[in-house]
Amino acid sequence: MIVFGIDPGSVYTGFGVIKANPKGDMQHVDSGRICCGRRSFPERLSLIYDQLSNLLSQYKPEYVVVEQLFVHKNPMSALKLGHARGVAVLAGSQSGAQLVEYTPRHVKKALTGYGGANKDQVGYMAKMMLALPVVPVSDAADALALAMTHAQILRTQRLTKKEVTI
């Protein structure tokens, strides 16, 4: 099963692709970030959509996992992040994959055991769990963490169903 994680942002949008099997083993397929640079805001959104659409078309995931929006103190930042997230949700929903969302706190708790973990801890766990040679850049690490969280939840659901039917 291919799971595609997206950590939306208006300057950097992280993506992470993993392959997971029913036993719970996870393998890194690809990860990185879409860098929007100094483009106008509409050009950034277009770039995010185009690049995510191309990646989703390339990997054909069963699941696309997008980080849920969290409250910012700066309303303008929240608005821009919401636009970038909307573009990511649109690309994911148009890919034909099942769209799933998790809060950053849920992902941190699933990977590190602590919902208040910092970005370095999330990156380290992504490196260790996927046997990567280096810690991925933070946006990519967050996207991989989203994908890994969903793979773990699916595995837990399968195990629970097996236990009930025995």
Side-chain angles (χ1 to χ4, degrees), residues 1 19-26 151-152 154-156 158-159 162:
M1 153 183 68
K19 184 176 184 178
N21 68 26
K23 292 180 183 178
D25 299 323
M26 292 181 270
Q152 288 177 337
L154 288 173
R155 181 172 184 269
T156 301
R158 277 193 296 272
L159 291 173
K162 282 184 183 177

Side-chain angles (χ1 to χ4, degrees), residues 39-110:
R39 295 171 174 81
S40 70
F41 191 65
E43 289 173 328
R44 290 182 203 180
L45 296 178
S46 182
L47 177 67
I48 293 166
Y49 175 78
D50 290 343
Q51 297 233 352
L52 284 176
S53 294
N54 288 339
L55 288 163
L56 290 163
S57 177
Q58 177 182 350
Y59 292 112
K60 299 176 183 17
E62 285 90 341
Y63 298 94
V64 173
V65 188
V66 181
E67 186 176 78
Q68 282 184 345
L69 189 61
F70 57 93
V71 178
H72 277 287
K73 291 181 182 176
N74 181 337
M76 193 53 129
S77 294
L79 187 60
K80 287 183 177 180
L81 179 59
H83 282 69
R85 187 178 176 285
V87 167
V89 168
L90 177 63
S93 66
Q94 289 185 341
S95 74
Q98 184 175 339
L99 192 69
V100 185
E101 302 171 304
Y102 295 110
T103 64
R105 188 166 195 78
H106 186 129
V107 172
K108 291 174 183 180
K109 177 127 174 110

Side-chain angles (χ1 to χ4, degrees), residues 4 19 29 31 43 46 62 66 87 114 118-119 146 163:
F4 192 106
K19 184 176 184 178
V29 175
S31 59
E43 289 173 328
S46 182
E62 285 90 341
V66 181
V87 167
Y114 174 58
N118 64 40
K119 284 191 171 282
L146 284 156
E163 290 173 9

Side-chain angles (χ1 to χ4, degrees), residues 104-165:
R105 188 166 195 78
H106 186 129
V107 172
K108 291 174 183 180
K109 177 127 174 110
L111 251 63
T112 69
Y114 174 58
N118 64 40
K119 284 191 171 282
D120 290 339
Q121 292 168 311
V122 172
Y124 178 78
M125 289 306 293
K127 174 188 181 294
M128 297 307 292
M129 292 174 73
L130 295 172
L132 300 172
V134 296
V135 174
V137 64
S138 67
D139 309 294
D142 289 349
L144 287 168
L146 284 156
M148 293 185 317
T149 297
H150 190 62
Q152 288 177 337
I153 288 170
L154 288 173
R155 181 172 184 269
T156 301
Q157 289 173 347
R158 277 193 296 272
L159 291 173
T160 304
K161 286 179 183 177
K162 282 184 183 177
E163 290 173 9
V164 171
T165 58

